[in-house]
Amino acid sequence: MMRNAFKLIMLLTGFLLISAQQQVDTVDHWRAKFAHLSDFVYRSKNANWIGIRKLSKQHGDSVYVINTKSHTQTVYRIGNSQLTFLNEEGVLGKQGQKVIFLNLHTGKTSHFDNVIDVYTLEQHNRYGLLFNDHHLRVYDTFGKQLLEIPNVSNLTATDSKNTIYASKLYDGKSEIVETTGSQQKVLYQTINKIRKMSLSDSGKQLSIIETTQNNDQDRLVIFQAGNFQKKILELNIPKNAVVNFSTLKDGTSYLISARVAVETKKEPLVDVWYGNDPYVNEHFKMSSKRNFWIWHPKRNELQNIPVPESIEVGSINNDRYFLTYFPRRGYNFLTSEPELNAAQIYDLQLNSYTDIGDIKLAKRIGKEWPLLLNHSVYTSSDGKWFLASQDGIKWSLYHSDGRKVTVIEKKGLEQPVFSAKSDHIYFESSNGLWDFNIRLKKLTALDIGTGKLTKIKNYTLQIDGYTAISFLPTEKLLAEIYDRDENVISYQLFQYGNRYEIIPATKNRIDKLIYDPSMTSLYTVEENYNLPPALFSYDKQAKKTLLFDGDIKDNGAKKIKQEIYNYHAAGKNLSGILFYPANFDPKKIYPMIVRIYDMQRHLSNSYLSPNKIFPEGMQIRTLLERGYFVFLPDTTVGEKGPGLSALECVHNALDAVQNNPSIDQKKIGLCGQSYGGYKTNFIATHSDRFAAYISGAGISDFIGNFYSYSINWNKPLYFASNTFYQMGTNPADDKERYLKNNPILSVEKVNAPILLWAGRKDGNVPYTQTMEFYIGLRRYKKDVVALFYQNGDHSFPDGTPEQIDLSKKVLDWFDYFLLGKDDIAWIDKQIEKDAE
């Protein structure tokens, strides 16, 4: 039915079908037949049109544009493009340097080659294209060229509403021209080179930075955008400074900062690391010069903020009061980012400071990680209030001048969001939504999501370093309510004290939620373990309608059987997801593969696409087809520490499924990658319940990792012990617990074959951690094979040679030890009795 409704227009070609004859591996051939929709979507301004990508190995990826309001189901296919909507009139699709414009009313298309970038002019229903020949050309929605500007550099900006700004060379000078598409006007001319051009967040001001002949200074020039006015501000800044604009009070004023990074010598003879250096190889964050100004565009007033050179200035969305602090003062590296110690509020009018003390990072609970860190300071949209935490547990409310109003005496309040009028503060939590009335200083439960993880979906968050403006743009509040025990999600709309259920509780996974500005229509991308992703709509009465499923048929997914097992471990109630083998026969017994990481209950409704690859090469759907049970148990961290807690969790999970007569208890494999790799390493040194192991990119020396340096994170890994591994201590003060949770100290106890793998370019967990475990296993004559991928990082993207090779070896390893396929040469080489 839906196929007949498609108005498919082939706009880009060039994708080759991969024939069966070209396939060497039958698993790859089987996987290539499956397609699914991505959870990444595009939407037009009023959500009348939604673009979504269909992923297909066999036929190539394609993007479809769906009319959400049409009763005749209008769908266009627009190649494999990145989309940019032009109101509800058209859409630009860009793939490489090819661009297509699709008129959404007529269905007609215009094609362009050699395009560097695209720009929309919403108020004029026009679009601009910058070509390789450095010509900027502007077109209407029918593809008619309206204007052409030559000699344009790559420095081009647009407010997306009515003006494009472009830098060009003319007669040996740099020019800034502006155009609405019908005419062009020279806005500015200079003999200097323009090194940067950008619009403010509000789109009201255009700034350019010129490289002058002066060895000490460059020049910042600001124009009022969109109305052909002359420059309104000219300011000398330090040479090579990075300039940042922090919008205050919706663009009524700006905090301007100019920072010059500390110069470091390239490839010095010796890289000196000092024991008292708080930056620890993060010197790109250091500044040799800092300058701050407050600027009022309406009266064109610029005022210097005279703080000492060592102090950093942050916005609290106020043009009189500012957050000041010493960068990284007292950083103990136990948190992922430095906390704001000895923070102050600076009063520009009185040139005075108010101490607000040490500000801690507040914790946040997610679906998987139990500890995620928020920003330090949250401000209201009117700049009158800000929130901070002095203990990382409770929030304190402050006036913008730094005077503390009150401490909100409740634990577990997470992401704060100010109301549109800045008279209330809403808090997310794992126990529903909470409302703090600022005038009454009263906290009240909203009776939304009680007992469940509840988040606000429609708030605006404007991040600026350690501070963030967090507010609702309207009086409407859209709440997501998630039941972690049942893995069920729903959505409610809260307005003027009333609440409405707009998406009833569903066991489907909602990976994407889209809504129009009025929030009267909602659209979701939903899936389940036996349901491929599809696009749905919900109306005011919460009626659900299928909009688009990509004509994807997966009859095999409908037959997948799943069970949820509950158990208790590490002081918590946990769950495990058991998937049954394809074509399950209750008269037979099957081997089982256990995959661990952290909390995994939320994966029970994830679509089991054959092309969805876990980083460790494990592919659940393929394993089910090959005759395995696959078990995904939760693991958490209790008082014993991460390793011992994982052991308890996995053993109790195995006990929970032990009475299933179809599981061969002697043929169970365990695997994990990264955090799961550490847990696999530890369990392998303490358990006798597994016949084979696979561990990828995991830590083997827990204490050594604590004292290691991460290239990816650009910092010592002290903090990982207190975030991911939740130790809350250090080895010096807690030696016994660190020793008991260290896999390498019990490496001689591994009693089943283990496959190790790592990427030599892993900047997160050094491959030497895997090498150390391999050396230990070899020392005690254990059956081990280690795979070191020369170009591999921490995880391997799908389709890379590393991922393809690893996926095949993962199947080989489990087939060899759990299915008895003992004719695999690369494994035979290790298992042969006379092997050295």
Side-chain angles (χ1 to χ4, degrees):
M1 294 290 294
M2 186 167 290
R3 181 184 302 174
N4 295 332
F6 289 170
K7 295 180 179 179
L8 302 179
I9 300 180
M10 300 300 296
L11 304 175
L12 289 176
T13 59
F15 293 108
L16 299 177
L17 296 179
I18 304 174
S19 68
Q21 290 78 12
Q22 291 175 302
Q23 296 291 337
V24 177
D25 189 286
T26 56
V27 173
D28 289 345
H29 185 206
W30 173 73
R31 287 177 54 213
K33 296 178 181 179
F34 292 85
H36 70 276
L37 299 182
S38 168
D39 61 356
F40 184 82
V41 299
Y42 306 86
R43 52 154 282 187
S44 62
K45 185 176 182 179
N46 296 324
N48 292 337
W49 296 86
I50 290 177
I52 190 167
R53 189 178 304 274
K54 179 178 177 180
L55 307 175
S56 173
K57 288 182 176 292
Q58 191 173 68
H59 300 291
D61 297 349
S62 301
V63 173
Y64 292 83
V65 181
I66 301 101
N67 188 327
T68 62
K69 307 299 183 183
S70 172
H71 297 292
T72 58
Q73 194 61 64
T74 303
V75 178
Y76 297 110
R77 182 179 177 183
I78 187 166
N80 180 22
S81 305
Q82 295 179 343
L83 301 187
T84 303
F85 281 94
L86 177 58
N87 298 317
E88 315 301 317
E89 304 297 318
V91 61
L92 289 151
K94 187 175 188 298
Q95 182 182 7
Q97 292 195 341
K98 292 181 178 293
V99 169
I100 299 167
F101 179 80
L102 169 66
N103 187 307
L104 293 171
H105 292 295
T106 66
K108 294 183 178 180
T109 60
S110 303
H111 299 249
F112 307 92
D113 292 321
N114 304 314
V115 178
I116 298 174
D117 212 344
V118 302
Y119 313 93
T120 58
L121 297 173
E122 295 174 359
Q123 293 180 4
H124 304 286
N125 281 329
R126 298 167 181 167
Y127 57 94
L129 303 177
L130 179 61
F131 290 84
N132 279 342
D133 61 3
H134 296 289
H135 284 231
L136 175 68
R137 299 177 177 95
V138 182
Y139 302 85
D140 65 15
T141 56
F142 297 99
K144 179 183 177 182
Q145 182 175 313
L146 305 175
L147 182 69
E148 182 172 1
I149 303 174
N151 302 319
V152 174
S153 73
N154 289 353
L155 289 173
T156 307
T158 179
D159 58 11
S160 297
K161 294 179 175 61
N162 58 19
T163 311
I164 299 174
Y165 303 91
S167 171
K168 58 177 294 188
L169 293 175
Y170 179 76
D171 196 23
K173 297 180 180 180
S174 297
E175 287 185 343
I176 300 294
V177 297
E178 56 184 358
T179 180
T180 60
S182 59
Q183 59 178 335
Q184 61 172 308
K185 182 178 178 67
V186 176
L187 180 66
Y188 182 66
Q189 203 175 58
T190 177
I191 61 172
N192 298 320
K193 179 181 178 181
I194 297 175
R195 65 176 172 90
K196 186 176 180 180
M197 179 172 69
S198 60
L199 282 161
S200 61
D201 291 338
S202 65
K204 297 178 180 179
Q205 288 81 27
L206 175 74
S207 67
I208 66 169
I209 299 176
E210 301 179 38
T211 300
T212 69
Q213 302 301 316
N214 189 316
N215 292 327
D216 298 322
Q217 293 182 323
D218 285 342
R219 184 173 296 126
L220 170 68
V221 184
I222 301 177
F223 305 85
Q224 189 69 31
N227 58 5
F228 304 104
Q229 290 187 1
K230 296 181 179 180
K231 60 186 177 184
I232 54 178
L233 180 67
E234 191 168 358
L235 177 65
N236 290 328
I237 59 174
K239 201 72 175 178
N240 299 319
V242 176
V243 178
N244 182 61
F245 286 81
S246 297
T247 304
L248 308 179
K249 297 182 179 180
D250 195 29
T252 58
S253 55
Y254 292 87
L255 171 62
I256 303 176
S257 66
R259 297 176 178 86
V260 180
V262 171
E263 292 186 9
T264 57
K265 295 181 180 180
K266 295 182 179 179
E267 299 181 359
L269 175 66
V270 58
D271 193 3
V272 181
W273 290 23
Y274 289 98
N276 60 355
D277 182 359
Y279 283 88
V280 193
N281 207 35
E282 285 189 314
H283 296 108
F284 61 90
K285 291 185 177 181
M286 293 179 62
S287 299
S288 61
K289 295 180 182 178
R290 292 186 183 95
N291 297 92
F292 303 94
W293 302 269
I294 181 71
W295 177 49
H296 303 276
K298 283 191 176 180
R299 57 180 185 266
N300 198 18
E301 179 181 301
L302 183 73
Q303 186 175 358
N304 179 56
I305 302 178
V307 295
E309 192 170 294
S310 58
I311 286 181
E312 184 71 27
V313 175
S315 163
I316 55 171
N317 198 29
N318 192 286
D319 55 10
R320 174 176 174 178
Y321 302 106
F322 302 90
L323 176 71
T324 60
Y325 56 94
F326 292 91
R328 307 172 73 86
R329 169 175 277 186
Y331 185 21
N332 59 11
F333 302 103
L334 297 179
T335 54
S336 62
E337 292 295 334
E339 296 174 332
L340 296 181
N341 294 320
Q344 297 178 313
I345 296 298
Y346 173 70
D347 185 335
L348 179 61
Q349 183 173 320
L350 299 180
N351 191 27
S352 62
Y353 294 86
T354 300
D355 292 333
I356 59 174
D358 296 342
I359 303 301
K360 305 297 182 184
L361 293 162
K363 299 176 178 65
R364 186 178 188 187
I365 295 179
K367 289 184 180 180
E368 187 165 23
W369 288 111
L371 295 178
L372 296 177
L373 300 178
N374 284 336
H375 303 281
S376 297
V377 175
Y378 289 86
T379 74
S380 61
S381 60
D382 62 3
K384 292 181 179 179
W385 314 99
F386 70 86
L387 283 165
S389 178
Q390 292 185 317
D391 59 5
I393 299 172
K394 298 178 182 178
W395 292 98
S396 294
L397 177 65
Y398 295 83
H399 286 290
S400 57
D401 61 7
R403 289 178 293 132
K404 184 184 290 188
V405 177
T406 186
V407 177
I408 302 174
E409 294 288 345
K410 182 172 176 57
K411 299 178 181 179
L413 298 180
E414 299 172 8
Q415 178 71 50
V417 178
F418 285 88
S419 64
K421 296 179 180 178
S422 299
D423 54 353
H424 289 255
I425 308 169
Y426 301 109
F427 290 95
E428 301 178 347
S429 86
S430 56
N431 184 25
L433 280 185
W434 295 79
D435 173 19
F436 182 78
N437 186 307
I438 295 178
R439 183 177 64 84
L440 300 178
K441 301 179 186 177
K442 183 179 179 181
L443 182 70
T444 307
L446 283 179
D447 194 29
I448 296 177
T450 304
K452 299 177 177 64
L453 178 62
T454 308
K455 297 184 177 181
I456 301 170
K457 302 299 291 183
N458 65 316
Y459 69 95
T460 298
L461 185 68
Q462 299 172 358
I463 301 170
D464 186 12
Y466 288 100
T467 66
I469 308 172
S470 178
F471 65 97
L472 289 172
T474 71
E475 290 301 321
K476 293 183 179 181
L477 185 155
L478 179 60
E480 176 187 272
I481 303 165
Y482 177 64
D483 186 331
R484 287 180 290 184
D485 294 332
E486 298 297 326
N487 198 20
V488 170
I489 198 166
S490 62
Y491 293 86
Q492 293 186 10
L493 191 64
F494 179 78
Q495 184 179 20
Y496 304 124
N498 299 315
R499 57 191 178 97
Y500 312 91
E501 186 173 65
I502 52 177
I503 298 182
T506 176
K507 292 186 176 181
N508 285 348
R509 183 186 191 92
I510 297 181
D511 276 322
K512 195 70 177 182
L513 176 70
I514 309 107
Y515 48 86
D516 60 13
S518 64
M519 284 186 281
T520 55
S521 298
L522 285 89
Y523 310 94
T524 60
V525 178
E526 299 184 27
E527 65 179 68
N528 214 311
Y529 69 93
N530 53 8
L531 174 70
L535 180 66
F536 297 89
S537 68
Y538 291 83
D539 62 15
K540 295 180 182 178
Q541 288 73 42
K543 180 183 177 182
K544 182 179 180 179
T545 303
L546 174 65
L547 284 181
F548 182 72
D549 65 1
D551 198 30
I552 295 171
K553 309 299 180 185
D554 187 354
N555 294 325
K558 299 176 183 178
K559 301 176 183 179
I560 296 174
K561 182 181 179 181
Q562 177 198 94
E563 288 179 347
I564 305 297
Y565 287 80
N566 298 315
Y567 56 97
H568 187 84
K572 298 180 182 178
N573 294 322
L574 304 173
S575 300
I577 311 162
L578 182 68
F579 292 101
Y580 276 64
N583 304 312
F584 171 72
D585 184 349
K587 297 178 181 179
K588 297 180 180 180
I589 62 171
Y590 299 85
M592 181 173 73
I593 296 171
V594 181
R595 185 261 183 180
I596 56 173
Y597 187 72
D598 199 72
M599 304 297 284
Q600 300 188 103
R601 180 66 175 90
H602 64 283
L603 298 176
S604 64
N605 54 9
S606 180
Y607 171 57
L608 297 184
S609 166
N611 295 309
K612 189 175 287 186
I613 299 294
F614 283 105
E616 67 270 24
M618 175 185 169
Q619 206 294 308
I620 293 179
R621 183 71 175 275
T622 305
L623 293 171
L624 300 182
E625 292 290 332
R626 293 168 85 92
Y628 292 99
F629 278 97
V630 175
F631 191 34
L632 309 180
D634 288 340
T635 56
T636 188
V637 180
E639 294 181 358
K640 297 178 182 178
L644 289 168
S645 296
L647 178 68
E648 179 185 350
C649 292
V650 171
H651 277 183
N652 289 7
L654 291 178
D655 291 343
V657 299
Q658 195 166 24
N659 292 330
N660 189 319
S662 299
I663 298 174
D664 187 343
Q665 298 294 330
K666 295 182 179 180
K667 295 293 183 182
I668 300 178
L670 179 69
C671 66
Q673 185 259 352
S674 190
Y675 192 25
Y678 158 77
K679 293 180 178 181
T680 300
N681 290 341
F682 186 87
I683 292 170
T685 63
H686 288 75
S687 179
D688 60 359
R689 301 181 67 168
F690 296 95
Y693 298 98
I694 298 179
S695 172
I699 291 170
S700 61
D701 184 355
F702 191 40
I703 297 175
N705 183 72
F706 182 91
Y707 293 116
S708 295
Y709 186 87
S710 171
I711 296 173
N712 283 1
W713 290 87
N714 280 314
K715 65 187 69 176
L717 281 169
Y718 307 142
F719 79 94
S721 179
N722 293 316
T723 51
F724 312 135
Y725 297 93
Q726 301 175 67
M727 289 293 285
T729 58
N730 59 68
D733 298 329
D734 198 3
K735 287 182 181 178
E736 183 177 0
R737 201 157 63 109
Y738 271 88
L739 290 170
K740 286 184 176 180
N741 286 275
N742 200 352
I744 197 64
L745 296 183
S746 300
V747 67
E748 76 280 1
K749 297 178 182 179
V750 174
N751 58 11
I754 185 167
L755 175 66
L756 308 174
W757 66 267
R760 286 185 177 269
K761 294 184 178 180
D762 189 342
N764 192 3
V765 177
Y767 80 91
T768 51
Q769 286 274 343
T770 300
M771 178 71 76
E772 181 177 351
F773 208 53
Y774 163 80
I775 295 297
L777 291 162
R778 176 165 179 158
R779 168 64 179 82
Y780 298 108
K781 295 182 171 57
K782 304 297 180 178
D783 284 326
V784 58
V785 175
L787 310 173
F788 297 103
Y789 290 90
Q790 301 298 328
N791 295 314
D793 205 322
H794 189 58
S795 298
F796 303 158
D798 189 23
T800 60
E802 293 80 14
Q803 178 270 321
I804 293 171
D805 181 79
L806 177 61
S807 295
K808 292 176 181 178
K809 283 185 167 60
V810 164
L811 293 175
D812 285 348
W813 191 262
F814 283 135
D815 285 355
Y816 192 99
F817 293 105
L818 304 184
L819 288 181
K821 295 183 179 180
D822 56 359
D823 58 347
I824 302 174
W826 71 271
I827 303 177
D828 279 337
K829 188 174 181 179
Q830 164 62 34
I831 300 303
E832 289 173 357
K833 298 300 181 183
D834 58 347
E836 292 294 326

